[in-house]
Amino acid sequence: TQLLEQSPQFLSIQEGENLTVYCNSSSVFSSLQWYRQEPGEGPVLLVTVVTGGEVKKLKRLTFQFGDARKDSSLHITAAQTGDTGLYLCAGAPQGAQKLVFGQGTRLTINP
Amino acid sequence: NAGVMQNPRHLVRRRGQEARLRCSPMKGHSHVYWYRQLPEEGLKFMVYLQKENIIDESGMPKERFSAEFPKEGPSILRIQQVVRGDSAAYFCATRRGEAEKLFFGSGTQLSVL
């Protein structure tokens, strides 16, 4: 069973469109993180959300942490071809010191 | 300050051989995590070590797999008697302290023939 479920698993859209990626769980997390991974490289941290209801913006990317700290979303406005990649959410279950990952969303932005 | 260094980047082994994957943490980082990733999938936690101690190995197979992080030198993930199903990308990640940011290496792609 997957502790963190990401949806959709694959998303292909045209440049300029908006999109939202979801990360859901039935468990409460002390924090959730979003990573982006390029082929042949390790994941790189984009953002960490800690407080329930928190919203963080990184240029055209908006990250939200659910009020109950069980889910998160990543919204990209006016997607660009450079946004293409694998987006992973990850969280530390309460009481645990390890980070668990969702299965990822493979995003392709077409010119 | 160099990033997390993993070597080799690519490792080819025949079934039954041993694979040794190395991870040199960033300077000052004493927490090391190993993850495994299959194509088009997320990262699966394997083991968490903190200088010479295994803190959590709940994701590590009970047989053939072992990990260490000695006082001096890199962390080693060792896979004995490899099988084709061990083929995957193995990533290590390190951080300075428990609440600190995690930095990933570029991974080792293990291919078992």
Side-chain angles (χ1 to χ4, degrees):
Chain A
T1 55
Q2 192 78 27
L3 195 58
L4 284 169
E5 293 281 349
Q6 283 188 242
S7 62
Q9 282 192 262
F10 298 93
L11 183 59
S12 180
I13 63 171
Q14 293 302 118
E15 196 170 22
E17 293 183 0
N18 302 332
L19 67 107
T20 302
V21 175
Y22 300 92
C23 175
N24 296 302
S25 177
S26 56
S27 303
V28 175
F29 286 85
S30 52
S31 65
L32 276 179
Q33 300 179 337
W34 285 91
Y35 290 79
R36 178 175 160 176
Q37 186 179 19
E38 301 290 346
E41 296 297 329
V44 175
L45 180 66
L46 295 174
V47 77
T48 300
V49 285
V50 179
T51 308
E54 182 177 7
V55 176
K56 280 192 175 179
K57 292 197 173 188
L58 192 67
K59 296 184 181 177
R60 292 176 295 102
L61 277 60
T62 301
F63 304 85
Q64 186 160 7
F65 200 11
D67 291 339
R69 288 187 291 132
K70 292 183 178 181
D71 54 83
S72 181
S73 64
L74 158 60
H75 181 80
I76 301 180
T77 304
Q80 300 176 356
T81 55
D83 296 327
T84 293
L86 180 66
Y87 290 82
L88 298 156
C89 70
Q94 285 190 322
Q97 297 187 54
K98 65 187 181 189
L99 206 60
V100 294
F101 282 81
Q103 73 271 48
T105 293
R106 171 70 62 188
L107 177 63
T108 303
I109 309 300
N110 303 300
Chain B
N1 187 10
V4 179
M5 303 300 292
Q6 286 189 250
N7 67 82
R9 286 297 307 271
H10 298 90
L11 181 61
V12 179
R13 285 287 178 265
R14 297 192 181 278
R15 281 179 295 170
Q17 291 184 320
E18 178 181 287
R20 292 171 73 88
L21 287 62
R22 294 175 184 77
C23 170
S24 296
M26 290 176 67
K27 187 177 180 182
H29 288 200
S30 59
H31 299 247
V32 172
Y33 298 76
W34 284 94
Y35 288 85
R36 169 186 158 124
Q37 185 177 37
L38 292 172
E40 302 302 329
E41 290 189 11
L43 282 75
K44 298 281 191 244
F45 169 79
M46 297 182 74
V47 62
Y48 163 39
L49 308 102
Q50 186 182 350
K51 264 312 179 186
E52 299 184 87
N53 296 308
I54 295 176
I55 307 300
D56 183 345
E57 57 182 348
S58 58
M60 194 109 94
K62 293 288 187 289
E63 297 179 352
R64 303 188 298 108
F65 285 72
S66 62
E68 62 176 12
F69 188 17
K71 189 176 180 180
E72 301 291 338
S75 175
I76 306 285
L77 178 67
R78 183 181 176 205
I79 311 173
Q80 295 178 289
Q81 299 174 329
V82 296
V83 300
R84 290 217 172 108
D86 296 332
S87 296
Y90 293 84
F91 290 94
C92 85
T94 76
R95 59 182 174 187
R96 188 183 304 273
E98 286 181 13
E100 301 278 338
K101 180 180 174 180
L102 205 58
F103 291 85
F104 280 83
S106 296
T108 293
Q109 181 65 52
L110 173 65
S111 298
V112 179
L113 304 179

